[in-house]
Amino acid sequence: MPSVAGQSHPRTEDNFVLIAQTYLILSPLLAQQAQALRGINHRFSEAGSTFSLSAVAIVVGIAAAIVAMLFFGSRWIKLSDQCQNDSPRLLFIELCRALALSRTERRIMARVAIVAEAPTPADVFIEPRYLNAVLADRSWSKYETVLLNLKQKLFA
């Protein structure tokens, strides 16, 4: 409902009255709270405290530096261990990538390494006897064409 010039809206007057009443009720409580906060503030002011804000900042800075050093140090150690770790599994994966083997060929080569009991999975890439042993086994007949292609790719 639009207001006429010089007249205020009834709801606005009600809101104003409500705000004024709330202020009158809460002002003594807020004054007490403000007094308590001033007392707390005085305890931490330069005259009443035994430590300064700069000392707190230094302690927090040192703690942050220690946490950062631990975090980055652990990451550096983890990365250096991964780079220096010469694992047979990683070598197998690298050989599969270098030869651009498909996912099926990689799975078959991994299974050949397990079934033929190769000392390391990468041995199936350097010794044809592992592929020959699997080719002689009839249970691998459905993979015969893939195995022959791998043998040709690796040992031709």
Side-chain angles (χ1 to χ4, degrees), residues 102-133:
S102 68
R103 180 178 289 176
T104 304
E105 291 172 330
R106 282 183 269 160
R107 285 185 192 152
I108 290 173
M109 290 299 280
R111 287 178 58 198
V112 166
I114 293 168
V115 170
E117 297 177 354
T120 65
D123 285 346
V124 295
F125 289 98
I126 52 177
E127 294 190 36
R129 66 184 168 127
Y130 298 114
L131 281 174
N132 291 336

Side-chain angles (χ1 to χ4, degrees), residues 1-125:
M1 176 174 179
S3 62
V4 181
Q7 296 179 353
S8 62
H9 195 277
R11 285 191 180 170
T12 307
E13 288 177 6
D14 291 342
N15 288 342
F16 180 73
V17 169
L18 183 63
I19 291 171
Q21 288 173 348
T22 305
Y23 175 75
L24 290 174
I25 292 170
L26 292 179
S27 62
L29 295 174
L30 293 174
Q32 288 174 354
Q33 222 172 12
Q35 183 85 17
L37 290 175
R38 279 190 212 102
I40 290 172
N41 186 27
H42 176 68
R43 290 183 192 151
F44 290 105
S45 68
E46 289 184 25
S49 75
T50 58
F51 60 90
S52 66
L53 187 59
S54 61
V56 173
I58 290 171
V59 170
V60 169
I62 291 172
I66 290 171
V67 168
M69 285 179 11
L70 290 173
F71 174 75
F72 289 114
S74 67
R75 288 192 49 117
W76 180 72
I77 289 170
K78 188 185 298 182
L79 288 175
S80 66
D81 283 347
Q82 287 177 353
C83 292
Q84 294 175 359
N85 192 5
D86 294 328
S87 74
R89 183 176 174 273
L90 290 176
L91 179 59
F92 179 83
I93 292 169
E94 286 179 30
L95 287 169
C96 289
R97 284 185 188 146
L99 294 168
L101 298 182
S102 68
R103 180 178 289 176
T104 304
E105 291 172 330
R106 282 183 269 160
R107 285 185 192 152
I108 290 173
M109 290 299 280
R111 287 178 58 198
V112 166
I114 293 168
V115 170
E117 297 177 354
T120 65
D123 285 346
V124 295
F125 289 98

